[in-house]
Amino acid sequence: MAIACALCDSVGRGERWRAPRFCMRTRVDPPGTCWLHSSKEELRWCAQSMVTSMQGAEKRSFYLQLLRRVGEAFQQDDLAIDNLLATISPEERAMLLKYGSAELRAVLSKRIAALPNAEVRPATTSPRIPDGLPQPLLDGLLAFEKRLQARYETLVERGHTRSHKYVAAAMKVPVRLAVFLAGEGIERWDVVRKRDLVAFFQKNPAAPRQPIERFLQSMEDHRPFRDRRGRPAGGSKRMRDAKRRPPPQVLRPEILLQFLADVRERYSVHEYLLAWMVCRLGMIARHAYSITLDRIQLNDRGRMVIRPALVWVEVPQRVADQFRKIIEPVDPSWGKVDPESLRFVTLFDHYITDLDEFTAKVLQGRTRLLRASAIFAAMLDGHLDRVTLRHTMGVSMPTILQLERLLSVDLHRRLDPSLVEARNAHITGHVDD
């Protein structure tokens, strides 16, 4: 049976031939015209980029068409590939940098970085809305999705960072509520009562309430994201809620260090370094995994520094040596070129293909606990300024407030020690005045 390659139209023979995933198996005879055998290495990289874990036939077909355009541009000249990368959308650039082979990603990343105003942005994930919902319920969901999408685009244009799953994540619980209401015979949002919401949360106790509140507010006044300027004093609702929640669980610093030492002994260098960024820098695992090489540099003294959030942090020499071991195979020019040219060159996805598997195996499914423990350890080490913690570790103010409750003193009200001693003596009844 003859099968044509989706990229170069070469025809291979053999029942199990699939270019290029199975091209090296027995009883397979890919022709010499296949891009896999091209003397031009960029074409070989394009062919190797067909091997992905991408889900969805339509998405994969679009990706293969894009990959073919890249290969055809490489067959021309540098100007052709630069023109192609300049004209495709930010979402298409992100697709190439996510699913391409390691070699192709490295080349395209630098070319995209050299283009003026070339953005890279993953396509937003659409929420899954089941069929069969009553039309009024469906209309409300679609209207809310449209507002969320507009807000996402506005935030991104203003330089804010939002996950490409922002819209889908915000829609997840409202969609679940709509399915529940339809099952109860309720077909319109304007007839939903508190007892219906109570029944929903009784059936779905793990469902968060904030997405429902935001969604229902949008149904009432169409302003789910009101301008809060001029709000009354007393702090935001999130800050007040943070004070009421039970304090988070954390590991003692010595236990956290022992955990990291165990990871260093049992796992590879790149797995240890990713765990180190979570357990010492307090980074979210997803943010650490997607860090780019422009955020790992050498300072004026030749020491390695890393930018977990907004400011640079010096890396211990032993850890810096291990970072060099995994950076140099990815980009040998690192440390010698303009860091701006590396702003799309990722690091850990060259070694770890499945982040969820890493967090489950290496971090033992305790990513949040380990990150909170890293932040708490920094506070115990004397890093008490809230702004410094926020800028250094990227931790939110509500999280800082929760962790401060684990400490035995008020960090932001300093008193003279003699005054504290006199106060304590008065409280315990040792003095009368």
Side-chain angles (χ1 to χ4, degrees):
M1 181 176 65
I3 302 175
C5 174
L7 294 189
C8 57
D9 295 329
S10 296
V11 177
R13 300 189 177 277
E15 293 183 0
R16 300 165 62 186
W17 193 85
R18 297 289 187 276
R21 187 187 296 268
F22 302 123
C23 63
M24 302 306 294
R25 285 190 174 183
T26 57
R27 294 180 292 141
V28 171
D29 184 24
T33 56
C34 178
W35 283 3
L36 284 169
H37 304 308
S38 173
S39 59
K40 196 173 184 62
E41 58 183 1
E42 291 86 354
L43 294 185
R44 297 199 300 271
W45 296 340
C46 288
Q48 293 162 5
S49 298
M50 294 177 67
V51 183
T52 72
S53 57
M54 182 183 295
Q55 302 294 323
E58 183 177 348
K59 180 180 179 181
R60 180 173 176 80
S61 176
F62 178 82
Y63 167 68
L64 292 178
Q65 294 175 16
L66 183 61
L67 205 57
R68 179 168 181 154
R69 293 172 62 190
V70 171
E72 291 172 344
F74 271 122
Q75 288 178 311
Q76 300 177 45
D77 52 29
D78 291 343
L79 180 61
I81 186 62
D82 288 341
N83 287 338
L84 173 63
L85 294 176
T87 54
I88 61 178
S89 68
E91 292 77 12
E92 291 171 331
R93 297 187 194 108
M95 179 178 283
L96 288 171
L97 296 185
K98 179 178 181 180
Y99 294 108
S101 65
E103 297 83 359
L104 183 64
R105 292 201 308 269
V107 170
L108 295 183
S109 295
K110 292 185 177 181
R111 287 187 173 275
I112 293 173
L115 297 174
N117 303 320
E119 298 182 16
V120 174
R121 184 172 63 246
T124 55
T125 304
S126 300
R128 296 182 180 179
I129 302 178
D131 298 329
L133 287 178
Q135 193 61 41
L137 293 181
L138 179 60
D139 290 343
L141 291 174
L142 294 177
F144 186 57
E145 180 186 0
K146 184 177 180 181
R147 295 187 199 107
L148 285 170
Q149 185 64 40
R151 176 174 172 79
Y152 170 81
E153 293 173 358
T154 299
L155 289 171
V156 171
E157 288 175 0
R158 293 179 178 177
H160 297 278
T161 301
R162 289 296 184 274
S163 169
H164 65 285
K165 299 179 181 179
Y166 173 81
V167 175
M171 289 286 294
K172 187 176 181 180
V173 182
V175 168
R176 195 188 309 175
L177 174 61
V179 173
F180 171 81
L181 295 175
E184 297 294 315
I186 300 174
E187 299 185 354
R188 305 198 323 265
W189 292 109
D190 59 341
V191 299
V192 176
R193 299 293 179 262
K194 287 187 177 179
R195 61 175 178 268
D196 303 318
L197 299 179
V198 170
F200 169 76
F201 285 115
Q202 286 177 342
K203 188 174 181 181
N204 302 272
R209 283 163 170 72
Q210 185 180 12
I212 295 297
E213 292 174 357
R214 176 179 287 180
F215 170 72
L216 293 179
Q217 187 180 60
S218 75
M219 293 295 99
E220 294 175 1
D221 59 11
H222 303 291
R223 293 192 302 140
F225 310 105
R226 297 195 305 275
D227 190 346
R228 300 281 184 177
R229 288 176 294 184
R231 61 187 182 275
S236 68
K237 183 176 183 297
R238 287 183 63 200
M239 300 279 275
R240 295 194 299 273
D241 289 344
K243 294 179 180 179
R244 288 196 291 263
R245 296 193 202 106
Q249 292 184 339
V250 295
L251 301 176
R252 296 197 306 273
E254 60 271 20
I255 296 179
L256 182 64
L257 290 176
Q258 183 58 53
F259 173 83
L260 201 52
D262 292 341
V263 172
R264 184 174 63 246
E265 292 179 3
R266 297 176 55 193
Y267 296 100
S268 61
V269 172
H270 52 269
E271 289 173 319
Y272 166 72
L273 290 175
L274 187 52
W276 179 84
M277 295 174 73
V278 174
C279 298
R280 295 296 289 169
L281 300 182
M283 294 187 68
I284 297 173
R286 176 170 48 84
H287 293 172
Y289 178 75
S290 59
I291 195 168
T292 49
L293 289 184
D294 64 314
R295 293 170 59 188
I296 306 175
Q297 298 182 16
L298 299 177
N299 62 14
D300 296 337
R301 296 183 291 113
R303 297 295 300 271
M304 181 180 291
V305 291
I306 191 169
R307 184 163 61 86
L310 299 178
V311 299
W312 295 92
V313 178
E314 191 167 297
V315 179
Q317 188 59 49
R318 177 181 56 81
V319 179
D321 292 339
Q322 293 177 311
F323 262 113
R324 290 177 183 274
K325 291 180 181 178
I326 69 171
I327 290 176
E328 290 177 357
V330 172
D331 196 305
S333 65
W334 176 86
K336 306 172 185 175
V337 298
D338 180 8
E340 184 65 15
S341 67
L342 304 177
R343 60 193 174 102
F344 297 125
V345 181
T346 53
L347 175 61
F348 287 102
D349 58 353
H350 290 262
Y351 301 96
I352 300 172
T353 56
D354 191 332
L355 178 60
D356 292 335
E357 181 182 351
F358 166 83
T359 56
K361 180 184 70 171
V362 180
L363 300 183
Q364 301 176 6
R366 302 190 295 171
T367 307
R368 291 196 177 194
L369 172 65
L370 295 170
R371 182 181 184 238
S373 301
I375 299 167
F376 185 65
M379 296 170 72
L380 290 179
D381 199 33
H383 302 283
L384 304 177
D385 183 71
R386 292 172 176 174
V387 175
T388 300
L389 286 171
R390 181 176 177 83
H391 288 184
T392 304
M393 309 183 86
V395 56
S396 67
M397 196 61 69
T399 301
I400 294 175
L401 288 176
Q402 291 182 54
L403 290 170
E404 285 178 351
R405 294 169 59 195
L406 298 173
L407 301 174
S408 57
V409 295
D410 186 344
L411 302 178
H412 303 282
R413 190 177 296 278
R414 306 273 181 161
L415 300 177
D416 185 87
S418 61
L419 180 60
V420 174
E421 184 177 356
R423 180 201 63 180
N424 292 344
H426 181 77
I427 292 174
T428 56
H430 290 89
V431 295
D432 294 331
D433 54 354

